[in-house]
Amino acid sequence: MALKRFKTNTRLWLLISFALFVPPWFIGHIDKQGVVPAAGLFVVAFSDPANLGEVIGGIFVCILSFGVPALAIGWILHCPIVMVANYVKGRRCRAA
């Protein structure tokens, strides 16, 4: 018995992942100057070149900390949506 081919919607997956990736950048983190949002690291990178290596390391850590879970959770959330959409589409085709 052959398994049905699983369909995916990459656009939906990336949209959900992007929606999960953006908000944490505006949550503050504790820095030497106090509480600063992670998006503020980009401002520091261009305004204070003396600490550029440390700032780029912080940006890289934030991208990994926010991006990898956003992609994984986005995939998990996207799967049931695609399955339900395919089920509804299949029922609509059979009814016609």
Side-chain angles (χ1 to χ4, degrees):
M1 181 174 172
L3 295 174
K4 291 184 179 179
R5 186 173 173 188
F6 178 74
K7 294 183 181 179
T8 187
N9 186 341
T10 308
R11 183 179 296 168
L12 177 64
W13 173 38
L14 294 178
L15 182 66
I16 292 171
S17 297
F18 182 75
L20 294 171
F21 178 73
V22 171
W25 285 92
F26 298 102
I27 297 172
H29 72 280
I30 298 173
D31 198 2
K32 295 175 186 174
Q33 293 86 17
V35 178
V36 180
L41 291 173
F42 291 103
V43 175
V44 174
F46 293 109
S47 65
D48 186 15
N51 295 329
L52 187 62
E54 181 180 326
V55 170
I56 290 183
I59 291 171
F60 184 70
V61 166
C62 288
I63 288 172
L64 286 178
S65 298
F66 304 150
V68 173
L71 287 172
I73 294 170
W75 178 263
I76 292 168
L77 292 175
H78 136 275
C79 286
I81 295 170
V82 170
M83 286 183 218
V84 168
N86 286 335
Y87 178 75
V88 169
K89 182 179 173 184
R91 284 187 59 124
R92 216 178 299 145
C93 290
R94 284 186 219 136

Short mmCIF file of all heavy atoms in Angstrom, two decimals, residues 23 47-48 54 70 72 82 91 94:
data_model
loop_
_atom_site.label_atom_id
_atom_site.label_comp_id
_atom_site.label_asym_id
_atom_site.label_seq_id
_atom_site.Cartn_x
_atom_site.Cartn_y
_atom_site.Cartn_z
N PRO A 23 9.02 39.25 16.57
CA PRO A 23 8.74 39.84 17.89
C PRO A 23 9.85 39.74 18.92
O PRO A 23 10.07 40.70 19.67
CB PRO A 23 7.48 39.11 18.35
CG PRO A 23 6.83 38.67 17.10
CD PRO A 23 7.94 38.36 16.15
N SER A 47 27.04 52.62 15.10
CA SER A 47 27.40 53.84 15.82
C SER A 47 28.70 53.70 16.61
O SER A 47 29.38 54.69 16.85
CB SER A 47 26.26 54.26 16.75
OG SER A 47 26.07 53.29 17.75
N ASP A 48 29.04 52.49 17.04
CA ASP A 48 30.23 52.29 17.87
C ASP A 48 31.08 51.17 17.27
O ASP A 48 30.98 50.02 17.68
CB ASP A 48 29.82 51.96 19.30
CG ASP A 48 31.00 51.89 20.25
OD1 ASP A 48 32.09 52.37 19.88
OD2 ASP A 48 30.83 51.34 21.35
N GLU A 54 32.08 42.14 19.14
CA GLU A 54 31.16 41.71 20.20
C GLU A 54 29.70 41.89 19.76
O GLU A 54 28.86 41.03 20.03
CB GLU A 54 31.43 42.55 21.45
CG GLU A 54 30.56 42.19 22.63
CD GLU A 54 30.88 43.05 23.85
OE1 GLU A 54 32.06 43.41 24.03
OE2 GLU A 54 29.94 43.35 24.59
N ALA A 70 12.07 29.43 15.52
CA ALA A 70 10.98 29.96 14.69
C ALA A 70 10.73 29.05 13.49
O ALA A 70 9.58 28.78 13.14
CB ALA A 70 11.29 31.38 14.23
N ALA A 72 11.47 25.80 13.29
CA ALA A 72 10.95 24.51 13.77
C ALA A 72 9.48 24.63 14.19
O ALA A 72 8.64 23.81 13.80
CB ALA A 72 11.80 24.01 14.93
N VAL A 82 -1.91 22.70 6.64
CA VAL A 82 -1.85 22.14 5.28
C VAL A 82 -2.68 20.85 5.20
O VAL A 82 -3.38 20.62 4.22
CB VAL A 82 -0.39 21.90 4.86
CG1 VAL A 82 -0.30 21.09 3.57
CG2 VAL A 82 0.34 23.22 4.71
N ARG A 91 -12.37 16.81 -0.10
CA ARG A 91 -13.81 16.60 0.08
C ARG A 91 -14.60 17.42 -0.92
O ARG A 91 -15.62 16.98 -1.42
CB ARG A 91 -14.22 16.98 1.49
CG ARG A 91 -13.82 15.96 2.52
CD ARG A 91 -14.41 16.31 3.85
NE ARG A 91 -15.87 16.38 3.76
CZ ARG A 91 -16.70 15.67 4.50
NH1 ARG A 91 -16.21 14.84 5.39
NH2 ARG A 91 -18.00 15.79 4.39
N ARG A 94 -14.47 15.64 -4.31
CA ARG A 94 -15.29 14.44 -4.36
C ARG A 94 -16.78 14.75 -4.42
O ARG A 94 -17.56 14.03 -5.00
CB ARG A 94 -15.01 13.57 -3.14
CG ARG A 94 -13.71 12.83 -3.24
CD ARG A 94 -13.56 11.87 -2.08
NE ARG A 94 -12.15 11.94 -1.68
CZ ARG A 94 -11.73 12.01 -0.43
NH1 ARG A 94 -12.58 12.05 0.57
NH2 ARG A 94 -10.45 12.05 -0.17
#
